Amino acid sequence: MRRFLLLILILSIFTSCQKPIQLIDSPLELMAKITSYFPDIPPAKGVYFESAEMLDAGYFDPEYACYLYTGQFIADFNMLDKLEAYAVRIPDGKSAFEIHIFKVRNISDIESVEDMCRSRLNILKSGNIAGYDPELFYTIIEKAEVYTVDNYVFLLATTDNDAVKNIIRVE
C-alpha cells in the first residue's frame, strides 16, 4: 500500500511539473493558422495535403514531391507513405516563403522525414536566390530550419520562425 501511495505521489509531482504540448490534429488546420499570422504572405503556387485526390489541386504527386525534396526523379520514392497526414505550402514566383508540416506515421521514420526536409533546405540554400534577391535569401532561406515536435516534422522558411513555433506549441 505504501509503495502504491508513493508511486501516485511521484507520478503526480512529475506530471504537474511538465507543461503539456498540444498540437492541432490536422496539418491543414495548422497550416491555415500559421498562414493567417502573416498578413502579407506571398501567394502560394500550391498547398498540398494528404486527402486530395489525384486530379485535385491539392494532390501532392509523388514524382513532384521527390523532385522537390531530392532535386531528382527517383522511381521508388516512398517518403509520402511514411506520413499519416501533411500540408505543404510552396510559394509562387520568386518568394521563398515555404511551410512543410508532416505528421509522421511511425516514430521510427521521424529521422528520415527530417533528412528529407534538410535535403529541401539544401536545395533552397544552393539555389540562385542569393544572387537575384539577397534580402529574401538572408531573411528567409538563411534562417530556414527543420523543427520537430512529437511525431510532427516541420520545415519552416518564413520571416518569423519563432512566431510559427509559438503557434505550433500551445503550452
Side-chain angles (χ1 to χ4, degrees):
M1 182 67 170
R2 284 186 193 166
R3 287 184 184 169
F4 180 71
L5 292 173
L6 182 60
L7 180 62
I8 290 174
L9 178 64
I10 291 171
L11 287 175
S12 65
I13 290 171
F14 179 72
T15 57
S16 67
C17 294
Q18 290 187 332
K19 292 181 179 179
I21 296 171
Q22 299 172 354
L23 295 172
I24 295 174
D25 288 336
S26 164
L28 199 54
E29 290 172 358
L30 187 53
M31 180 70 74
K33 192 170 184 180
I34 292 168
T35 56
S36 70
Y37 176 80
F38 298 97
D40 298 326
I41 191 170
K45 175 181 178 181
V47 176
Y48 305 98
F49 49 95
E50 80 284 345
S51 60
E53 297 295 325
M54 188 177 282
L55 298 177
D56 290 346
Y59 177 68
F60 205 20
D61 183 281
E63 285 184 3
Y64 175 63
C66 178
Y67 184 76
L68 193 68
Y69 295 105
T70 68
Q72 51 191 313
F73 292 103
I74 302 170
D76 60 346
F77 182 77
N78 66 349
M79 292 302 290
L80 298 181
D81 296 337
K82 297 179 180 195
L83 306 175
E84 182 178 320
Y86 58 86
V88 176
R89 185 184 191 284
I90 302 298
D92 190 18
K94 291 196 272 184
S95 173
F97 194 103
E98 292 191 16
I99 303 168
H100 305 241
I101 305 170
F102 299 114
K103 186 175 184 182
V104 182
R105 190 179 314 277
N106 297 310
I107 298 294
S108 60
D109 291 323
I110 287 178
E111 189 174 338
S112 63
V113 174
E114 289 172 335
D115 288 343
M116 179 182 75
C117 290
R118 281 191 277 281
S119 176
R120 175 67 182 155
L121 283 181
N122 289 336
I123 290 168
L124 290 172
K125 289 180 179 183
S126 64
N128 59 2
I129 294 173
Y132 70 77
D133 195 338
E135 182 180 349
L136 180 69
F137 182 81
Y138 292 109
T139 58
I140 296 180
I141 301 294
E142 195 64 23
K143 295 177 183 177
E145 62 184 293
V146 176
Y147 178 67
T148 302
V149 178
D150 294 334
N151 65 326
Y152 282 76
V153 177
F154 302 85
L155 186 158
L156 304 175
T158 74
T159 53
D160 192 348
N161 291 341
D162 289 335
V164 173
K165 289 177 188 178
N166 287 332
I167 293 169
I168 292 167
R169 293 178 64 120
V170 179
E171 298 190 60

